[in-house]
Amino acid sequence: MPRPENERPILMIRRENQPTQHVPVTKDEVLVGRDEACDISLPERQISRQHIRIYRNGDRFFVQDLDSKNGTWLNGQPLKGSVELHDGDEIQLALTTRIRYVGIGSTTPLTSEVPAYGNARLRLEHESRRVFVGDKELNPPLSLPQYRLLEMLYNNAGTICTRDMVIETVWPEAMGEGVSEQAIDALVRRLRDRLAELDPDHQYIQTVRGHGFRLENPPLS
Protein backbone atom coordinates (compact mmCIF):
# COMPACT_ATOMS: atom_id res chain seq x y z
CA MET A 1 0.00 0.00 0.00
CA PRO A 2 1.45 3.43 -0.93
CA ARG A 3 2.46 5.56 2.01
CA PRO A 4 0.68 8.87 2.67
CA GLU A 5 2.31 11.90 1.10
CA ASN A 6 3.52 13.23 4.45
CA GLU A 7 5.47 10.00 5.06
CA ARG A 8 7.56 10.33 1.92
CA PRO A 9 10.91 12.08 2.16
CA ILE A 10 12.33 13.67 -0.98
CA LEU A 11 15.83 13.27 -2.40
CA MET A 12 17.11 16.37 -4.22
CA ILE A 13 19.81 15.07 -6.55
CA ARG A 14 22.36 17.56 -7.89
CA ARG A 15 24.80 16.63 -10.65
CA GLU A 16 27.11 18.95 -12.54
CA ASN A 17 25.48 20.61 -15.56
CA GLN A 18 22.22 18.76 -14.87
CA PRO A 19 18.92 20.11 -13.51
CA THR A 20 18.19 19.09 -9.93
CA GLN A 21 16.04 15.96 -9.68
CA HIS A 22 13.36 15.70 -6.99
CA VAL A 23 12.74 12.03 -6.22
CA PRO A 24 10.19 11.03 -3.57
CA VAL A 25 11.14 8.00 -1.47
CA THR A 26 8.15 5.74 -2.07
CA LYS A 27 9.78 2.45 -1.03
CA ASP A 28 11.20 1.21 2.25
CA GLU A 29 14.56 0.65 0.56
CA VAL A 30 16.12 2.64 -2.28
CA LEU A 31 19.35 1.60 -4.01
CA VAL A 32 21.44 4.35 -5.60
CA GLY A 33 24.28 3.61 -8.00
CA ARG A 34 25.57 3.37 -11.56
CA ASP A 35 23.75 0.12 -12.33
CA GLU A 36 20.59 0.61 -14.40
CA ALA A 37 18.82 -1.84 -12.09
CA CYS A 38 19.16 0.58 -9.15
CA ASP A 39 16.10 2.49 -8.03
CA ILE A 40 18.05 5.68 -8.75
CA SER A 41 20.56 5.15 -11.55
CA LEU A 42 23.40 7.69 -11.88
CA PRO A 43 25.53 7.08 -14.98
CA GLU A 44 28.79 8.43 -13.58
CA ARG A 45 32.05 6.47 -13.80
CA GLN A 46 33.12 7.46 -10.27
CA ILE A 47 29.92 6.05 -8.77
CA SER A 48 29.86 2.35 -7.91
CA ARG A 49 27.31 0.02 -9.44
CA GLN A 50 25.55 -0.06 -6.07
CA HIS A 51 26.86 2.93 -4.14
CA ILE A 52 24.45 3.54 -1.25
CA ARG A 53 21.11 2.42 0.04
CA ILE A 54 18.55 4.54 1.84
CA TYR A 55 16.16 2.52 3.93
CA ARG A 56 13.36 2.87 6.43
CA ASN A 57 13.42 1.44 9.94
CA GLY A 58 10.22 2.22 11.78
CA ASP A 59 9.61 5.95 11.45
CA ARG A 60 13.24 6.76 10.67
CA PHE A 61 15.35 6.67 7.51
CA PHE A 62 19.00 5.67 7.27
CA VAL A 63 21.75 5.81 4.66
CA GLN A 64 24.40 3.10 4.23
CA ASP A 65 27.50 3.08 2.05
CA LEU A 66 27.71 -0.20 0.11
CA ASP A 67 31.52 -0.45 0.11
CA SER A 68 31.68 2.05 -2.73
CA LYS A 69 35.04 2.47 -4.46
CA ASN A 70 35.21 6.26 -4.27
CA GLY A 71 33.39 6.78 -1.01
CA THR A 72 30.38 8.59 0.42
CA TRP A 73 30.23 11.63 2.69
CA LEU A 74 27.41 12.78 4.95
CA ASN A 75 27.51 16.50 5.75
CA GLY A 76 31.19 16.55 4.83
CA GLN A 77 32.18 13.56 6.97
CA PRO A 78 33.09 10.11 5.56
CA LEU A 79 30.13 7.77 5.86
CA LYS A 80 30.84 4.55 7.72
CA GLY A 81 28.16 1.95 8.28
CA SER A 82 24.55 3.11 8.58
CA VAL A 83 23.64 6.60 9.81
CA GLU A 84 20.20 8.06 10.49
CA LEU A 85 19.13 10.82 8.13
CA HIS A 86 17.69 14.14 9.26
CA ASP A 87 16.00 16.89 7.31
CA GLY A 88 18.54 18.93 5.36
CA ASP A 89 21.35 16.33 5.46
CA GLU A 90 23.60 16.29 2.39
CA ILE A 91 24.98 13.06 0.99
CA GLN A 92 27.89 13.26 -1.45
CA LEU A 93 28.69 10.33 -3.74
CA ALA A 94 32.33 10.30 -4.87
CA LEU A 95 33.02 13.79 -6.24
CA THR A 96 30.18 13.90 -8.74
CA THR A 97 26.78 13.91 -7.04
CA ARG A 98 25.16 15.59 -4.04
CA ILE A 99 21.86 14.43 -2.59
CA ARG A 100 19.92 16.57 -0.14
CA TYR A 101 17.51 14.71 2.10
CA VAL A 102 14.20 16.51 2.70
CA GLY A 103 12.64 14.71 5.65
CA ILE A 104 9.18 13.49 6.47
CA GLY A 105 6.74 16.32 7.13
CA SER A 106 8.54 18.92 5.00
CA THR A 107 6.05 18.36 2.19
CA THR A 108 3.04 18.03 4.48
CA PRO A 109 0.17 20.43 3.81
CA LEU A 110 -0.03 23.00 6.57
CA THR A 111 -3.81 22.94 6.38
CA SER A 112 -5.94 19.84 6.77
CA GLU A 113 -7.39 20.03 3.29
CA VAL A 114 -6.38 21.54 -0.04
CA PRO A 115 -9.51 22.77 -1.83
CA ALA A 116 -10.32 21.57 -5.31
CA TYR A 117 -9.34 24.07 -7.96
CA GLY A 118 -12.94 24.61 -8.98
CA ASN A 119 -13.82 25.77 -5.47
CA ALA A 120 -10.60 27.65 -4.76
CA ARG A 121 -10.41 31.41 -4.39
CA LEU A 122 -7.40 31.70 -6.72
CA ARG A 123 -7.78 30.25 -10.21
CA LEU A 124 -5.50 30.01 -13.23
CA GLU A 125 -6.36 29.56 -16.90
CA HIS A 126 -3.21 27.86 -18.14
CA GLU A 127 -3.62 28.32 -21.90
CA SER A 128 -4.29 32.06 -21.68
CA ARG A 129 -2.13 32.63 -18.55
CA ARG A 130 -5.02 34.52 -16.94
CA VAL A 131 -5.24 34.77 -13.15
CA PHE A 132 -8.47 35.22 -11.18
CA VAL A 133 -9.20 35.81 -7.51
CA GLY A 134 -12.86 35.07 -7.05
CA ASP A 135 -14.61 36.68 -10.01
CA LYS A 136 -11.94 39.37 -10.49
CA GLU A 137 -9.19 39.07 -13.08
CA LEU A 138 -5.68 40.28 -12.35
CA ASN A 139 -4.94 43.09 -14.78
CA PRO A 140 -2.42 43.90 -16.13
CA PRO A 141 -1.32 40.26 -16.49
CA LEU A 142 1.61 38.85 -14.56
CA SER A 143 5.06 38.95 -16.08
CA LEU A 144 6.34 35.62 -17.41
CA PRO A 145 8.59 34.94 -14.36
CA GLN A 146 5.74 35.81 -12.00
CA TYR A 147 3.33 33.56 -13.86
CA ARG A 148 5.79 30.66 -13.98
CA LEU A 149 6.26 30.89 -10.22
CA LEU A 150 2.54 31.09 -9.51
CA GLU A 151 1.73 28.22 -11.88
CA MET A 152 4.32 25.99 -10.20
CA LEU A 153 2.92 26.76 -6.75
CA TYR A 154 -0.65 26.33 -8.02
CA ASN A 155 0.09 22.94 -9.57
CA ASN A 156 1.70 21.84 -6.31
CA ALA A 157 -0.90 23.41 -4.02
CA GLY A 158 -0.51 22.27 -0.42
CA THR A 159 3.09 21.08 -0.73
CA ILE A 160 6.40 22.87 -0.42
CA CYS A 161 8.27 23.97 -3.53
CA THR A 162 11.98 24.30 -2.90
CA ARG A 163 14.14 27.17 -4.09
CA ASP A 164 15.79 24.80 -6.57
CA MET A 165 12.36 24.05 -8.02
CA VAL A 166 11.75 27.80 -8.36
CA ILE A 167 15.01 28.25 -10.26
CA GLU A 168 14.32 25.32 -12.59
CA THR A 169 10.82 26.55 -13.33
CA VAL A 170 11.32 30.30 -13.55
CA TRP A 171 14.86 30.53 -14.92
CA PRO A 172 15.55 27.18 -16.68
CA GLU A 173 18.22 28.80 -18.83
CA ALA A 174 20.15 29.79 -15.70
CA MET A 175 20.61 26.27 -14.33
CA GLY A 176 24.28 25.75 -13.52
CA GLU A 177 24.99 29.49 -13.50
CA GLY A 178 23.27 30.23 -10.22
CA VAL A 179 20.40 32.49 -9.22
CA SER A 180 20.77 34.51 -6.03
CA GLU A 181 18.57 34.12 -2.97
CA GLN A 182 17.80 37.83 -3.30
CA ALA A 183 16.45 37.35 -6.84
CA ILE A 184 14.11 34.58 -5.68
CA ASP A 185 12.89 36.57 -2.67
CA ALA A 186 12.34 39.68 -4.81
CA LEU A 187 10.23 37.69 -7.28
CA VAL A 188 8.14 36.22 -4.46
CA ARG A 189 7.58 39.70 -3.01
CA ARG A 190 6.46 41.09 -6.38
CA LEU A 191 4.05 38.21 -6.90
CA ARG A 192 2.61 38.66 -3.41
CA ASP A 193 2.10 42.35 -4.13
CA ARG A 194 0.28 41.60 -7.38
CA LEU A 195 -2.09 39.11 -5.72
CA ALA A 196 -2.70 41.60 -2.91
CA GLU A 197 -4.10 44.00 -5.50
CA LEU A 198 -7.20 41.78 -5.64
CA ASP A 199 -7.12 40.21 -2.17
CA PRO A 200 -5.12 42.23 0.38
CA ASP A 201 -6.49 40.24 3.33
CA HIS A 202 -4.96 36.87 2.45
CA GLN A 203 -1.33 35.79 2.06
CA TYR A 204 -1.41 33.20 -0.72
CA ILE A 205 2.32 32.47 -0.82
CA GLN A 206 3.69 31.14 2.44
CA THR A 207 7.41 30.95 3.20
CA VAL A 208 8.39 27.71 4.92
CA ARG A 209 11.68 28.60 6.56
CA GLY A 210 14.55 26.39 5.51
CA HIS A 211 12.53 24.61 2.82
CA GLY A 212 10.88 26.92 0.29
CA PHE A 213 7.42 28.22 -0.53
CA ARG A 214 3.88 26.93 -0.47
CA LEU A 215 0.58 28.14 -1.94
CA GLU A 216 -2.32 28.48 0.47
CA ASN A 217 -5.42 28.67 -1.71
CA PRO A 218 -8.57 28.75 0.45
CA PRO A 219 -12.04 27.90 -0.83
CA LEU A 220 -14.44 30.59 -1.91
CA SER A 221 -16.40 31.92 1.05
Side-chain angles (χ1 to χ4, degrees), residues 101-115:
Y101 176 82
V102 180
I104 289 175
S106 294
T107 56
T108 305
L110 301 182
T111 55
S112 59
E113 182 178 357
V114 178

Side-chain angles (χ1 to χ4, degrees), residues 57-129:
N57 185 353
D59 292 330
R60 300 182 295 170
F61 281 83
F62 295 79
V63 58
Q64 178 186 12
D65 181 84
L66 300 176
D67 296 322
S68 62
K69 180 179 179 180
N70 292 309
T72 304
W73 288 260
L74 180 64
N75 299 325
Q77 300 298 317
L79 177 63
K80 304 295 183 183
S82 294
V83 177
E84 183 178 356
L85 287 168
H86 299 91
D87 182 52
D89 280 350
E90 183 175 84
I91 307 163
Q92 181 173 342
L93 311 185
L95 298 175
T96 66
T97 303
R98 295 177 184 270
I99 301 175
R100 182 184 175 195
Y101 176 82
V102 180
I104 289 175
S106 294
T107 56
T108 305
L110 301 182
T111 55
S112 59
E113 182 178 357
V114 178
Y117 290 152
N119 189 42
R121 193 183 303 178
L122 175 70
R123 294 183 297 108
L124 270 61
E125 288 188 0
H126 296 283
E127 292 186 5
S128 61
R129 298 211 324 242

Side-chain angles (χ1 to χ4, degrees), residues 34-48:
R34 193 177 73 248
D35 196 315
E36 292 183 357
C38 288
D39 300 291
I40 298 176
S41 179
L42 302 171
E44 301 283 353
R45 292 181 60 186
Q46 295 184 46
I47 292 180
S48 299

